[in-house]
Amino acid sequence: MYSSADLLGCRHDFSRVIAMLTLSTLIPYLGACFLLAIVPGPTVTVILANSLRGGTLAGFAIIAGTQLGLATMIGVVGLGLEAVMGFMAFAFDWIKLAGAAYLIWLGFNMLRSKGELGTAAAGPAKSYRRLMLDGFLVIWSNPKALIFLGAFLPQFVTSEAATFPQVMLLGLFFMVIAGSTDAFYAVLGGRARSLLSAARVKIVSRISGAILMAGGVWLALVKKA
């Protein structure tokens, strides 16, 4: 059980983090979240497949599961980063540099994207509860998602405040944006997947990849300054 002092301390940490979030930090972060969320990946493929088979609500059920998975992953990243800061704070800058390098590599792969979405698997309709479970498992069966969150979120975390509330707040923003873009794909899949052609996906991936690479380079240079 948490004491009243612990709860007050946690509330104070979150208030301080909110106060530290300036537009100069928040706008680039939200922009990066949108670019990363809008590019179709394994999660979007599953959402589209189930929306095609069971309608838009089926896609929303998948999204509910992926959001729950994201929340648990963000918690893991926050606790892990907090532990690192507690035992060896000097490693913080190295973690952020490694994360920036990973974002550059991720952007390079997005530049090479062929715009493939995968295929919808045939099979009987599933209950919404089962679809939520599928969405949760899709997130956790892809270790790249956890690696990505571990590389991306620390880029916008400062050592001047407790890291856990910072990661959780930034993660909440990411979940809102990812959930919104996933909802767009669920509606799209429930109506007409043909609107999302490989050529269009490739264009979005290449533009986002180029911006992400530039952002990764900028973040790396900022850490060295």
Side-chain angles (χ1 to χ4, degrees), residues 43-61:
T43 300
V44 170
T45 299
V46 175
I47 292 170
L48 284 172
N50 285 279
S51 295
L52 280 170
R53 185 170 55 196
T56 301
L57 289 180
F60 284 160

Side-chain angles (χ1 to χ4, degrees), residues 99-110 112 144 212-213:
Y102 177 75
L103 293 178
I104 294 171
W105 178 81
L106 188 63
F108 176 72
N109 284 335
M110 290 166 67
R112 300 172 59 194
K144 290 182 179 180
L212 187 59
M213 287 183 69

